[in-house]
Amino acid sequence: MLAKGYDPWYSEPMSDQQPKGLDVGAYIREQRRKAHLSLRNLADRAGVSNPYLSQIERGMRQPSAKILKGIATALEVSAETIFTQAGILDVEPQGSDSSVLRSILRDDDLTDGQRRELAEIYERFRAETAERRARRQPTGGEQQ
């Protein structure tokens, strides 16, 4: 599930709105070290600047989904894992339809942009349905 308050299209400075306990920068740094890659080498492979990657690793920047996908590819880890670390995906998606979102994100027949767009539409539809159901629920003082 897409985390609330996270805009996957833009890279923004980290804020207090990021869920606590999620440190994508530390995860990226750990994976980079395990892969025996220098900061510069990973930056080149991921298509980002060396200083920007350094800021991500130090927790000074929250990268976009596109940047995270490039880093995941360069590190040879799943994008889903890195998205979870970044708070884009919940660790335990709500509801029983988490397999749908995982299928979307793993579908090799879609481009990265298509996967993101489809996941966002799916989540929006689920949120709209939940809101409609909540409006239909009688409040405590109403009679049926």
Side-chain angles (χ1 to χ4, degrees), residues 4 11 13 17 21 23 26 40 43 46 53 59 73 78 86 90 95 100 117-118 120-121 124 129 131 142-143:
K4 293 183 183 199
S11 174
Q17 293 179 345
D23 188 358
R40 184 176 309 279
L53 181 58
T73 300
S78 76
D90 288 339
V100 173
E117 197 170 322
L118 187 54
E120 288 174 4
I121 291 168
R124 189 179 69 235
T129 300
E131 287 174 17
E142 294 180 10
Q143 292 187 3

Side-chain angles (χ1 to χ4, degrees), residues 82-119:
I82 246 178
F83 288 171
T84 300
Q85 290 292 322
I88 296 173
L89 292 178
D90 288 339
V91 177
E92 286 294 322
Q94 295 176 341
S96 60
D97 293 328
S98 63
S99 63
V100 173
L101 194 54
R102 287 188 181 145
S103 294
I104 291 169
L105 294 173
R106 290 181 179 158
D107 191 332
D108 291 332
D109 292 331
L110 300 173
T111 66
D112 290 343
Q114 290 170 330
R115 282 192 285 271
R116 280 192 307 270
E117 197 170 322
L118 187 54

Side-chain angles (χ1 to χ4, degrees), residues 12-127:
E12 297 292 332
M14 299 280 259
S15 70
D16 294 338
Q17 293 179 345
Q18 183 180 10
K20 300 293 181 202
L22 296 175
D23 188 358
V24 71
Y27 176 78
I28 290 169
R29 182 175 46 250
E30 177 185 328
Q31 294 303 311
R32 176 178 61 79
R33 288 178 178 165
K34 284 181 181 178
H36 304 289
L37 294 171
S38 69
L39 190 68
R40 184 176 309 279
N41 194 309
L42 178 58
D44 288 344
R45 288 182 181 196
V48 298
S49 72
N50 192 37
Y52 183 65
L53 181 58
S54 176
Q55 289 176 346
I56 293 169
E57 285 192 359
R58 291 181 289 140
M60 296 173 64
R61 291 281 181 180
Q62 178 62 42
S64 68
K66 180 180 179 181
I67 298 294
L68 287 173
K69 175 68 173 154
I71 292 170
T73 300
L75 288 172
E76 298 180 3
V77 299
S78 76
E80 182 180 15
T81 300
I82 246 178
F83 288 171
T84 300
Q85 290 292 322
I88 296 173
L89 292 178
D90 288 339
V91 177
E92 286 294 322
Q94 295 176 341
S96 60
D97 293 328
S98 63
S99 63
V100 173
L101 194 54
R102 287 188 181 145
S103 294
I104 291 169
L105 294 173
R106 290 181 179 158
D107 191 332
D108 291 332
D109 292 331
L110 300 173
T111 66
D112 290 343
Q114 290 170 330
R115 282 192 285 271
R116 280 192 307 270
E117 197 170 322
L118 187 54
E120 288 174 4
I121 291 168
Y122 174 72
E123 287 300 315
R124 189 179 69 235
F125 284 166
R126 289 189 62 197

